[in-house]
Amino acid sequence: QVQLVESGGGLVQRGGSLRLSCEASGFNLDDYAIGWFRQAPGKEREEISCISRNGETPLYADFVRGRFTLFVDKAKYTADLQMNNLYPEDTGVYYCAVDHFYCSGLMDYWGKGIQVTVSS
C-alpha cells in the first residue's frame, strides 16, 4: 500500500525557511515520479517541483525557482523540499505526490498534506 507522509510544516516569518519532508513507503520509488504541490486558500492546487520517473534533475515552477530545492533520496525513500526566503503568498497546504510515469496535476497517489503559513 502506497503511503506518503509529510512533515516539517508550520508558521514562519517572511524571509524565513522551512524544510518539508515526505516519507514514502509501500512501493519502489525507482519506478515513480515524485514531487511537491501546494494549494493556497481559494486557489487551485499547483505543482512546485517534481522529478520524473527517469529524471535526474527536478523541475521547478517559476515562482519558486532559486528559493526552493527538491532533494530525493531513493535509498531512504524520502523527498525533502527546502524552502528559503519564504513569502506570505507561499502560504498553503503542501502535498507530496507520486505517479507511476509523469509529473502532473493528476498524480497517482497523494499525501494528506501539511500546512505552511508565512506571516508578514
Side-chain angles (χ1 to χ4, degrees):
Q1 180 180 358
V2 174
Q3 285 193 321
L4 302 167
V5 180
E6 301 99 338
S7 63
L11 175 64
V12 64
Q13 289 187 335
R14 182 188 188 100
S17 298
L18 281 175
R19 189 177 180 101
L20 304 182
S21 183
C22 174
E23 295 187 10
S25 63
F27 63 102
N28 187 347
L29 189 52
D30 285 335
D31 295 334
Y32 283 77
I34 187 166
W36 283 89
F37 299 73
R38 74 183 185 191
Q39 187 165 19
K43 296 186 178 181
E44 294 187 353
R45 188 163 54 196
E46 56 189 355
E47 181 176 327
I48 299 171
S49 178
C50 193
I51 186 166
S52 64
R53 174 176 174 171
N54 298 316
E56 296 182 356
T57 303
L59 300 178
Y60 296 93
D62 288 343
F63 56 81
V64 301
R65 190 172 292 115
R67 300 189 297 126
F68 292 11
T69 306
L70 176 63
F71 298 97
V72 178
D73 188 330
K74 291 190 175 182
K76 295 182 178 179
Y77 274 65
T78 60
D80 288 2
L81 184 68
Q82 177 66 43
M83 306 187 295
N84 298 327
N85 192 21
L86 285 161
Y87 306 143
E89 48 265 43
D90 292 316
T91 293
V93 179
Y94 283 66
Y95 299 89
C96 177
V98 296
D99 188 273
H100 199 57
F101 293 100
Y102 307 112
C103 295
S104 76
L106 300 175
M107 304 288 272
D108 290 333
Y109 300 97
W110 296 83
K112 293 182 178 180
I114 193 164
Q115 179 69 42
V116 171
T117 303
V118 184
S119 66
S120 55

